Amino acid sequence: MSVPAFATSRRTVLRAAGAGAVALGLTACKSAVDDQKSQSAGAGASGAPKRGGTLQIGAPTDFTPSLLFTTNSSFFLPRLVFNTLTAYDPKTLVPQPQLAKSWQVAPDGKSVALQLREGVKFHTGRPFTADDVVFAINNLKEPKRSAQLRATAAVVTDFEVKSPTELTLRLAHPVSNLFDLFEFMIVPDKETIDDALAGKRLIGTGPFVFKNWTPGASLSFARNPDYFVPERPYFDGVEVRIIGQSDALVAALRSKQVQLALGLTGRDLQPVKDDKQFALTHFDTGNGAWYVGANVSVKPLDDKRVRQAVSYAINRDRILQQALNGYGLASSAPWPKSSPAYSDATAKRYTYDPAKAKALLAEAGAADLELPLAYLSSAPQIAQMVQFDLQQVGIKTTLEPLDPAKFQTQLIGQTMPGLWAGAHGFAQVHPSTLAVSAYPFNEAKNTSKFSDPRYTEIVQRAWQQVDADSPAARAAYQDLTEVLLDQQFVIDLVVLDQLYATTSNLHGVTQNLFTSTVLDDAYLA
């Protein structure tokens, strides 16, 4: 398959984007296939977008203040309240303007000059300036933030602030994923950062102003009248209801108590799939993947043959069809088809082969195993399917459900048991970001406690490319894939399509490449 996302070299892409950025619009990134109807702004039967009203959103997981800068776990929140420096076009990975309106990357990749948008204000009325960019990057460097792109932020070693809207970032070495950082990094108000981490006040520059939060129940937001995008947003406000059970969330959608349901699988949404009162939109940019992790400090998982046996034992196609209703890609590699690291051969490296799994276990002297299997409590069916498949090859597992906050805490703290089932991101952007940022893969410190000099060398080589589409970069991505498939400390199962379910009168909802919901252009017809 062709790989359009990186069809142009990174150097060419960044220079072209920087030179033309001022003329580009601020329409949010999207790469979606609609099952019912178009979701783009202006697509409704009534013609022009309609102003006013309050959007009701249902989400399965609550906001966790301590994870605000760690990961986009509360995917409904980051782009409601905050903005980022840039935002990718997901089909080309060309950065588009957000708070930065243009940029110029040095030929050696060791500095980038940013021109910031004028007239942007935080929700307090304070002007956004270059000093806020400096603060945002330094904030992610803080170990206590546990930010998944901390390593990339740390490469920025110096700042030259030339004016309130001009600054240059100087890097210790080139990195292929600098613009991944720019899209991941929300820009907060430095004066209220402690209140943000306590969940008391969230102050950004985004389209909606945070009003209040009732933990475990709801969040509310009001329209930002001073948003820098003219005539946006359309909604007067947004209400988010936390509905932890998928059947209850679907019921809230069907009864029109919410107009947008987030975080549901294709199987969850089967009851509304063919109902013309609703629309399903799936984003096929590979923003996440289901996987099984293996703690290599737990015997016999320190033997890669055992981990490979686990990989052969799991029926990925069955998980895709039965648990996800076909929305995604069964794959033993983490990459979506748009990634330069993707190939059909590596995606199909570990086919469902129980006999091969049994032979590897016997070779490793690891028959009749008993292991704990922790899992994200929002996806019990996938964990149960993994448990069943492993039992067929002689691996007995005990299921241990973890709520999202505890799951994230144990990922960060390297306290997962022998096996765990969950979802990871970061494969949809530059391949090196996965290996220097995502907790399950991070070469410096990962959840599996896996360490290997060759893995480190490959990751660093892929990360420090000036031209992310050069032959050397492509070779590094291939080497990265091969070492992941050989070592199998992360056992990828399915690359996910992200699904949104809406009432048929809601238009213009999209997301950025880190799955943050974007409502700048959303409206109810």
Side-chain angles (χ1 to χ4, degrees):
M1 176 178 175
S2 63
V3 187
F6 287 81
T8 309
S9 77
R10 175 178 180 271
R11 183 180 294 123
T12 303
V13 163
L14 297 187
R15 286 177 176 171
V22 179
L24 292 171
L26 281 159
T27 301
C29 298
K30 53 195 170 191
S31 176
V33 180
D34 293 344
D35 294 337
Q36 298 288 342
K37 55 185 71 62
S38 172
Q39 293 287 314
S40 60
S46 60
K50 179 182 176 183
R51 181 172 302 288
T54 298
L55 177 64
Q56 303 290 333
I57 298 177
T61 55
D62 200 0
F63 165 51
T64 304
S66 62
L67 299 179
L68 181 61
F69 303 106
T70 301
T71 180
N72 288 348
S73 56
S74 300
F75 41 82
F76 57 81
L77 188 143
R79 274 288 282 110
L80 267 66
V81 175
F82 304 97
N83 291 105
T84 56
L85 284 176
T86 59
Y88 282 124
D89 177 323
K91 290 186 177 181
T92 63
L93 282 190
V94 174
Q96 305 294 303
Q98 273 277 311
L99 293 175
K101 68 177 184 179
S102 64
W103 45 86
Q104 186 66 46
V105 179
D108 63 1
K110 295 179 69 172
S111 69
V112 55
L114 299 172
Q115 292 283 335
L116 305 179
R117 195 171 295 278
E118 299 90 351
V120 178
K121 297 179 181 178
F122 285 96
H123 298 154
T124 57
R126 183 177 69 82
F128 160 74
T129 71
D131 289 336
D132 295 299
V133 177
V134 175
F135 174 82
I137 294 173
N138 284 335
N139 179 56
L140 291 193
K141 293 181 185 181
E142 292 280 350
K144 61 185 176 183
R145 300 290 184 251
S146 298
Q148 292 198 80
L149 273 133
R150 180 187 168 206
T152 305
V155 174
V156 181
T157 56
D158 192 27
F159 306 88
E160 182 184 355
V161 176
K162 300 178 180 179
S163 77
T165 58
E166 297 177 275
L167 78 160
T168 296
L169 313 181
R170 305 201 185 281
L171 282 61
H173 55 75
V175 290
S176 58
N177 67 337
L178 184 63
F179 282 77
D180 295 1
L181 172 68
F182 290 172
E183 178 152 354
F184 175 85
M185 181 183 73
I186 59 174
V187 179
D189 172 35
K190 60 186 178 182
E191 296 179 356
T192 57
I193 193 73
D194 291 336
D195 283 347
L197 290 165
K200 295 177 181 177
R201 281 204 298 171
L202 298 172
I203 304 296
T205 60
F208 294 95
V209 177
F210 173 77
K211 301 299 291 183
N212 60 66
W213 172 44
T214 302
S218 64
L219 300 94
S220 65
F221 308 84
R223 182 178 188 271
N224 175 10
D226 296 320
Y227 193 40
F228 61 86
V229 183
E231 304 300 319
R232 300 292 191 278
Y234 293 120
F235 285 116
D236 293 330
V238 175
E239 300 284 339
V240 179
R241 295 177 55 195
I242 308 304
I243 305 174
Q245 298 297 318
S246 59
D247 54 352
L249 184 48
V250 172
L253 179 69
R254 297 182 77 176
S255 63
K256 311 292 179 67
Q257 296 177 56
V258 301
Q259 292 99 30
L260 170 61
L262 303 175
L264 294 172
T265 68
R267 183 173 181 271
D268 295 331
L269 292 167
Q270 187 63 30
V272 300
K273 187 177 188 298
D274 298 317
D275 190 331
K276 295 187 182 301
Q277 298 180 82
F278 307 98
L280 305 188
T281 303
H282 72 276
F283 294 83
D284 57 0
T285 48
N287 306 61
W290 280 103
Y291 74 100
V292 169
N295 185 337
V296 302
S297 70
V298 175
K299 290 185 177 298
L301 293 171
D302 58 332
D303 189 327
K304 73 177 182 182
R305 293 172 296 182
V306 176
R307 305 193 297 268
Q308 291 170 350
V310 171
S311 193
Y312 279 116
I314 298 173
N315 189 334
R316 292 168 171 82
D317 288 321
R318 185 167 69 97
I319 290 174
L320 174 62
Q321 297 304 322
Q322 295 184 13
L324 303 172
N325 224 32
Y327 288 98
L329 171 72
S331 178
S332 52
W335 319 113
K337 288 186 176 181
S338 58
S339 172
Y342 175 83
S343 74
D344 286 342
T346 55
K348 297 173 182 176
R349 180 72 56 85
Y350 286 92
T351 56
Y352 177 52
D353 192 340
K356 178 71 171 176
K358 290 179 181 178
L360 283 167
L361 290 171
E363 184 181 317
D368 300 317
L369 295 181
E370 293 190 21
L371 293 166
L373 175 60
Y375 68 94
L376 195 60
S377 58
S378 59
Q381 187 188 24
I382 291 176
Q384 290 162 7
M385 294 172 79
V386 169
Q387 181 185 48
F388 175 84
D389 286 345
L390 294 182
Q391 188 172 354
Q392 306 315 300
V393 300
I395 302 175
K396 181 179 179 181
T397 57
T398 303
L399 294 182
E400 299 179 1
L402 301 175
D403 65 60
K406 188 172 183 181
F407 190 92
Q408 193 75 5
T409 298
Q410 291 193 204
L411 274 179
I412 297 170
Q414 296 181 292
T415 58
M416 283 295 189
L419 296 172
W420 71 93
H424 71 75
F426 294 98
Q428 76 277 19
V429 284
H430 289 84
S432 62
T433 294
L434 183 79
V436 298
S437 301
Y439 298 126
F441 296 87
N442 193 318
E443 62 85 13
K445 180 185 177 183
N446 55 68
T447 311
S448 294
K449 302 180 182 178
F450 174 81
S451 179
D452 181 81
R454 173 155 171 74
Y455 183 52
T456 296
E457 183 276 323
I458 292 169
V459 170
Q460 292 295 319
R461 176 158 44 91
W463 188 35
Q464 296 188 32
Q465 296 292 323
V466 175
D467 184 346
D469 194 51
S470 66
R474 295 258 177 183
Y477 305 152
Q478 183 176 348
D479 289 346
L480 174 58
T481 305
E482 289 298 330
V483 74
L484 289 173
L485 289 172
D486 177 55
Q487 293 296 331
Q488 286 294 276
F489 60 96
V490 176
I491 300 161
D492 271 285
L493 306 177
V494 177
V495 178
L496 296 171
D497 287 355
Q498 188 80 10
L499 286 175
Y500 284 175
T502 69
T503 54
S504 59
N505 61 335
L506 177 60
H507 304 281
V509 177
T510 186
Q511 64 176 29
N512 72 6
L513 218 58
F514 286 105
T515 71
S516 294
T517 306
V518 180
L519 299 178
D520 292 44
D521 295 327
Y523 68 98
L524 287 170

